[in-house]
Amino acid sequence: MTRVLVPLLAQPPARPIGGAVLALGGRSMGATWSVKLVAPPTASAEALTAMVQRELDTVVAQMSPWEPGSDLSRYNAAAAGTWTALPAAFAQVLACAIDVAERTGGAFDPTLGALVSLWGFGPRPFSGGPPAPAAIAGARATAGWRRLVLDGDRLLQPGGLHLDLNGIAKGFAVDQVAAALDRAGARSYLVEVGGELRGLGAKPDGQPWWVELERPPSADHAPAPRTLVALHGLAVATSGDYRRFFEHDGRRYAHTLDPATAAPVADGAISVTVLDESCMRADAYATALTVMAPDAALAFATDHGLAALILTPGPDGLEERLSPALAAMLDP
């Protein structure tokens, strides 16, 4: 079974006149990236590839916890009571992260860097199993999004606070690439970075950029429908417990941490997909809804007009929860 989601548009995207579809690609942020765009015959694939790579490299240089010289690492190592000047893009991402943290009651928290590393999902070497309770308590004591004090482009280090923006930075990178393509004159493209996507316009044959929403591996053996979406003026981000995890004593520990427990989310959704005009917001909200209990996640998405697809395990396979905003996009 396949169903189709179509954005609610006043008019369909204009069909490009002339041009060919260029396919670009590379690696960044520990993943691959790809761009497809309608470009005139004179366009240089090499120049466009370099432009995209520069945008992604800038995000890494500012927000990667794996880069010792990044602005994020510099802040994490700063002394208590000092202020760090942030690049404009970094400040923009952090302001959005704080906003989502506030709206979700802390389900999204960009200050879990020490805990993320402690659980083996950050730059420090993995111990092979869950950390000791005392270590968790120590890392938890330094976290908390309410400790963040952002004054314009300056960020206060209250002491021991470690940022982790992996739940939002990849989506922001997608938006940055799309903005660079806009500045370059592209009016029809599909951007993908590590599974997060954003599209605009139509292909030369008049078809939109169709993409299939990510499904967990277990969906291949369960009666869950395939979902295609026409990405015009939309971005899509997915958070899933199958993306990064480790197993210990018969239990699986996924990379998404619950700020309330300082541990990987337990008994939550297998996968959450969010569609939004901004991939940055979609990325952050997908993470937050994964942390919430599935029913609470659906209620939040309904109350806030988020287009969300929530997949949970059920007795007969995967169970779906579609928010009203997503259901309204279903093509009859």
Side-chain angles (χ1 to χ4, degrees):
M1 176 181 174
T2 301
R3 61 190 173 197
V4 173
L5 300 176
V6 179
L8 305 177
L9 304 172
Q11 59 185 19
R15 178 175 176 175
I17 300 175
V21 176
L22 286 182
L24 317 173
R27 293 193 61 83
S28 183
M29 308 179 79
T32 60
W33 66 263
S34 66
V35 171
K36 296 178 181 178
L37 75 155
V38 179
T42 57
S44 166
E46 182 177 332
L48 289 168
T49 298
M51 178 190 74
V52 172
Q53 193 67 54
R54 281 195 303 272
E55 294 295 331
L56 297 174
D57 290 348
T58 297
V59 176
V60 170
Q62 293 183 10
M63 306 177 213
S64 172
W66 282 272
E67 295 292 332
S70 71
D71 294 282
L72 182 144
S73 295
R74 182 166 55 89
Y75 170 79
N76 288 348
T82 60
W83 291 84
T84 298
L86 304 180
F90 192 155
Q92 178 186 349
V93 172
L94 189 57
C96 180
I98 293 172
D99 180 65
V100 175
E102 185 171 9
R103 291 175 186 270
T104 61
F108 181 84
D109 191 333
T111 69
L112 302 184
L115 284 164
V116 169
S117 288
L118 192 62
W119 279 97
F121 300 112
R124 64 184 284 178
F126 177 44
S127 66
I136 295 174
R140 186 179 191 177
T142 66
W145 69 272
R146 295 186 185 278
R147 299 184 71 206
L148 289 169
V149 179
L150 180 63
D151 180 13
D153 63 353
R154 298 192 314 143
L155 182 62
L156 176 66
Q157 172 57 270
L161 195 64
H162 283 69
L163 291 176
D164 183 285
L165 299 177
N166 289 328
I168 190 172
K170 192 183 298 180
F172 176 73
V174 171
D175 290 337
Q176 289 296 91
V177 171
L181 292 170
D182 290 339
R183 292 192 299 270
R187 295 295 175 262
S188 179
Y189 52 75
L190 177 65
V191 177
E192 181 268 335
V193 179
E196 322 294 32
L197 302 109
R198 177 169 168 166
L200 180 72
K203 294 182 285 187
D205 61 1
Q207 285 291 313
W209 299 102
W210 290 107
V211 300
E212 181 177 354
L213 296 189
E214 184 177 315
R215 301 192 303 168
S218 58
D220 296 336
H221 310 287
R226 298 172 64 239
T227 304
L228 299 180
V229 58
L231 278 192
H232 171 59
L234 274 180
V236 56
T238 299
S239 177
D241 71 357
Y242 51 88
R243 283 188 163 186
R244 292 179 63 202
F245 62 90
F246 69 86
E247 294 182 341
H248 183 78
D249 288 343
R251 179 179 173 185
R252 184 162 73 163
Y253 297 86
H255 74 283
T256 301
L257 301 187
D258 183 346
T261 63
V265 174
D267 302 323
I270 294 176
S271 173
V272 175
T273 296
V274 174
L275 282 77
D276 193 273
E277 293 179 358
S278 159
C279 199
M280 174 174 64
R281 287 197 303 267
D283 198 4
Y285 278 120
T287 300
L289 296 184
T290 301
V291 169
M292 299 178 189
D295 287 343
L298 179 61
F300 181 91
T302 300
D303 292 343
H304 292 79
L306 294 178
L309 172 62
I310 303 164
L311 299 180
T312 57
D316 300 316
L318 294 180
E319 294 183 352
E320 294 187 325
R321 292 169 172 83
L322 279 69
S323 71
L326 188 81
M329 296 171 59
L330 287 172
D331 187 13

